[in-house]
Amino acid sequence: MLKPNGNYRNLKESYLFFGISQKVAAYRAEHPEKPLYRLGIGDVSLPLCRAAIQALHSAADDQAKEETFHGYTPECGIPEFRAAVAGYYSRRGVHPDPEEIFVSSGASDELGDILDLFDAGSPALITQPAYPAYVDASVMAGRKTFFLNAGPENDFLPLPGDDTAADLIYLCSPNNPTGAVYSREQLQSWVGYANRHGAVILFDAAYEAFIEGDLPHSIFEIPGAETCAIEICSLSKTAGFTGTRLGYTVIPKALERDGMNLNAMWVRNRTTKTNGISYLLQKAGIAVFSDEGLEQIQENIRIYKQNAQVLMDALDQTGIRYWGGKNAPYIWMACPNGMKSWDFFDLLLNEIQVIGTPGEGFGACGEGYFRLSSFGKPEETKTAAERIRKLLEETK
Ligand code: PLP
């Protein structure tokens, strides 16, 4: 008899954002007259930049004519797209070969798929609190997972110790949910650890475009990373592609384990398991990485950063502790009066109709914290910030 994948029995009952949406739907059904202020799920609210839209229109026109029509695209990416991403990296002094860049339909998809490269018996280390997909994808694959806790004591940036044991290491910087960003020195210690132990770092750079100042955007800015790291990124937060779907993964040709080349293995994987990513989307991606596109995407990022400032200003007035907000679209705040994070979620929803994300949903050590997102509309964010400020003053 066919047996389903029993690892699914080990998953936690409901995915974080599904749980939130159920609570919100129930509230909505009871109070249809009350407007809601969404600072919860990390989806963007502003449209694509002009360069991307023009490219999408023109690529659609290409598909209308026999002379310019495109069928399947190369599985690992259109060469022009791979070159455009390589060009984006070179702006930071990182010079990947375009063949080290693989197009994807987004970081989430890739974070699960990439596990195909590794034996299920190789354990994963996940710094927590963490984006829930890391844990769930590992559990589905039957992989043992260990956690390294982040907290105020390490500024939410845990580092490897002598007793750290892991084959696969998930790092996310800027971090979702804490907004913390690793410095060069800190990433160097992870790279050193991975090279010494034969581990591989899966570096999630989904929020790199929010970094200000001299902090690394890519693990490949760190010497030695090309022999121990894979970087997964997407245009979701860089350019508002959450609903458009486009990403990229960097696997250096120098990355080998046990005599096997991971870049070559991923070529084999992609050419088997995908038939490429839409021609239209890759054209839009190429436009995003043009000079014009890169300038235009800053317009939205600037607005999200202003939202983060509005939220931080409100929290500053209450004296509550928080992290992030500067180099990331997330603010990670301590719940007031030692409150549990789902209780604080309920309080915000029921009393002021603001929806945030309970820290506990990002792992046990997220208990007592709460994530606010700056991806909302400015007017809504202002109202939500003022409501939060007032509520926190009242609950002091
Ligand atoms: N990685 C992190 C840390 C994220 O927060 C998200 C989305 O919120 C993703 C990956 C997924 O991005 P994508 O839209 O490219 O699937």
Side-chain angles (χ1 to χ4, degrees):
M1 192 179 69
L2 172 96
K3 277 177 80 178
N5 180 347
N7 297 316
Y8 280 63
R9 292 202 177 93
N10 302 326
L11 290 168
K12 269 175 74 178
E13 201 179 306
S14 89
Y15 187 71
L16 170 65
F17 297 111
F18 181 62
I20 292 175
S21 62
Q22 278 184 321
K23 280 193 174 232
V24 172
Y27 183 86
R28 229 204 172 137
E30 262 183 61
H31 306 278
E33 75 293 353
K34 297 214 169 160
L36 297 173
Y37 303 91
R38 295 178 188 275
L39 304 180
I41 192 163
D43 200 355
V44 295
S45 58
L46 296 168
L48 303 189
C49 69
R50 299 177 293 288
I53 292 295
Q54 274 162 12
L56 283 169
H57 282 297
S58 126
D61 287 342
D62 287 350
Q63 296 299 70
K65 288 172 277 180
E66 211 174 316
E67 315 83 77
T68 49
F69 170 77
H70 283 75
Y72 289 125
T73 58
E75 294 90 340
C76 300
I78 296 175
E80 207 186 341
F81 175 77
R82 300 175 93 181
V85 178
Y88 181 56
Y89 274 89
S90 68
R91 290 171 179 251
R92 303 218 164 78
V94 177
H95 301 287
D97 178 335
E99 288 184 358
E100 295 177 316
I101 288 157
F102 296 83
V103 71
S104 77
S105 50
S108 247
D109 321 39
E110 203 78 341
L111 282 161
D113 291 352
I114 203 84
L115 296 178
D116 269 8
L117 290 181
F118 306 100
D119 188 281
S122 300
L125 179 76
I126 299 175
T127 66
Q128 268 200 333
Y131 181 56
Y134 305 155
V135 183
D136 288 354
S138 282
V139 171
M140 284 177 191
R143 188 178 304 283
K144 267 210 184 97
T145 46
F146 298 101
F147 299 105
L148 192 57
N149 285 353
E153 66 287 353
N154 51 29
D155 286 329
F156 290 97
L157 294 165
L159 294 172
D162 291 337
D163 56 343
T164 306
D167 291 336
L168 255 190
I169 299 165
Y170 284 88
L171 294 181
C172 177
S173 176
N175 189 270
N176 177 10
T178 67
V181 188
Y182 279 112
S183 68
R184 270 171 229 288
E185 296 68 33
Q186 289 169 323
L187 279 187
Q188 189 70 66
S189 76
W190 276 112
V191 165
Y193 171 89
N195 276 323
R196 281 195 307 281
H197 291 81
V200 170
I201 297 170
L202 294 180
F203 191 78
D204 184 340
Y207 298 96
E208 62 80 20
F210 286 78
I211 291 177
E212 293 173 10
D214 185 30
L215 288 161
H217 288 237
S218 161
I219 188 93
F220 297 115
E221 290 177 49
I222 310 303
E226 63 287 353
T227 53
C228 70
I230 289 175
E231 183 155 297
I232 292 176
C233 200
S234 97
L235 279 77
S236 282
K237 310 302 158 77
T238 304
F241 271 53
T242 52
T244 308
R245 310 304 302 149
L246 188 66
Y248 52 90
T249 297
V250 187
I251 308 183
K253 290 185 175 174
L255 182 56
E256 299 199 336
R257 289 292 179 270
D258 200 19
M260 297 179 82
N261 185 288
L262 274 75
N263 178 291
M265 286 167 71
W266 197 236
V267 172
R268 190 72 174 86
N269 182 296
R270 295 293 84 180
T271 51
T272 303
K273 292 198 170 180
T274 79
N275 260 333
I277 300 288
S278 156
Y279 167 74
L280 275 72
L281 300 187
Q282 293 193 65
K283 283 298 218 187
I286 293 163
V288 164
F289 292 119
S290 68
D291 289 343
E292 189 193 13
L294 287 174
E295 215 178 289
Q296 290 174 6
I297 59 172
Q298 287 307 320
E299 293 167 19
N300 288 0
I301 291 175
R302 220 172 289 127
I303 292 171
Y304 297 137
K305 279 180 172 283
Q306 280 162 6
N307 285 346
Q309 194 57 55
V310 166
L311 290 165
M312 290 192 288
D313 289 346
L315 295 180
D316 281 341
Q317 291 180 50
T318 69
I320 207 110
R321 273 189 98 185
Y322 66 86
W323 295 260
K326 191 164 160 49
N327 297 298
Y330 299 121
I331 291 163
W332 182 246
M333 61 176 284
C335 298
N337 311 320
M339 222 172 172
K340 293 209 158 178
S341 62
W342 277 104
D343 293 342
F344 189 54
F345 174 89
D346 290 337
L347 181 76
L348 290 192
L349 177 61
N350 293 317
E351 299 299 320
I352 57 171
Q353 293 76 51
V354 170
I355 302 157
T357 312
E360 193 267 344
F362 299 99
C365 76
E367 184 55 286
Y369 296 93
F370 201 74
R371 192 192 76 175
L372 300 174
S373 157
S374 70
F375 280 128
K377 297 237 162 58
E379 280 315 308
E380 274 183 41
T381 305
K382 270 186 208 146
T383 310
E386 177 51 20
R387 287 179 168 227
I388 293 171
R389 187 197 63 73
K390 244 177 108 203
L391 182 87
L392 289 174
E393 290 293 346
E394 285 163 11
T395 51
K396 254 184 191 168

